[in-house]
Amino acid sequence: EYAAAAWEIRRAVGILRNALGGNHPQVGKTTLLLASIYERHGGSIVSPAAAGAVSSSTTSRGGGESVATSAAADGNGRDDAELELYVDALEPLKATLGEVHQEVGFLYVKIGYLYGKKGDL
């Protein structure tokens, strides 16, 4: 059921980006929600491609969601998907909340942790 929730939230992010623009705060918050699902349950989330699902939504990043939808269920794929989602959430939240804000700082910490885990620091 987490996979179904993640799939629907991914679709919602695409719709929100198309309707509101990539830097709208709701886009950032919804992307952050999706990232938190991957953080907690990413190993149990099967990619839509593997499940035979097809998305009809597009994103303003030219496929920014594709990393999340094609992530493998293993730890590295989950971490890559989670990292991409946190990076996607960063700009809309910075645009709305400003560079110096607790939630923006939290995202920088999560992004730094995941880059460190990958060895990309």
Side-chain angles (χ1 to χ4, degrees):
E1 62 193 47
Y2 289 111
W7 175 245
E8 293 301 326
I9 293 170
R10 261 190 230 103
R11 287 184 47 210
V13 168
I15 292 167
L16 289 169
R17 281 190 183 176
N18 289 334
L20 304 173
N23 280 339
H24 193 277
Q26 191 60 45
V27 172
K29 296 268 186 190
T30 307
T31 304
L32 193 56
L33 173 64
L34 182 57
S36 71
I37 292 171
Y38 269 87
E39 180 180 357
R40 291 174 180 84
H41 304 286
S44 64
I45 297 175
V46 177
S47 72
V54 178
S55 172
S56 61
S57 64
T58 58
T59 64
S60 61
R61 284 192 74 216
E65 295 301 309
S66 63
V67 171
T69 61
S70 64
D74 67 354
N76 291 336
R78 184 186 79 194
D79 289 346
D80 288 346
E82 187 181 340
L83 176 60
E84 180 72 20
L85 291 166
Y86 281 128
V87 169
D88 284 352
L90 183 61
E91 287 307 315
L93 292 178
K94 277 182 12 183
T96 305
L97 303 173
E99 185 76 33
V100 182
H101 189 277
Q102 179 180 353
E103 201 163 342
V104 174
F106 167 78
L107 283 177
Y108 278 121
V109 169
K110 295 299 286 184
I111 290 167
Y113 168 76
L114 290 169
Y115 273 124
K117 198 171 170 184
K118 284 178 61 170
D120 287 350
L121 283 179

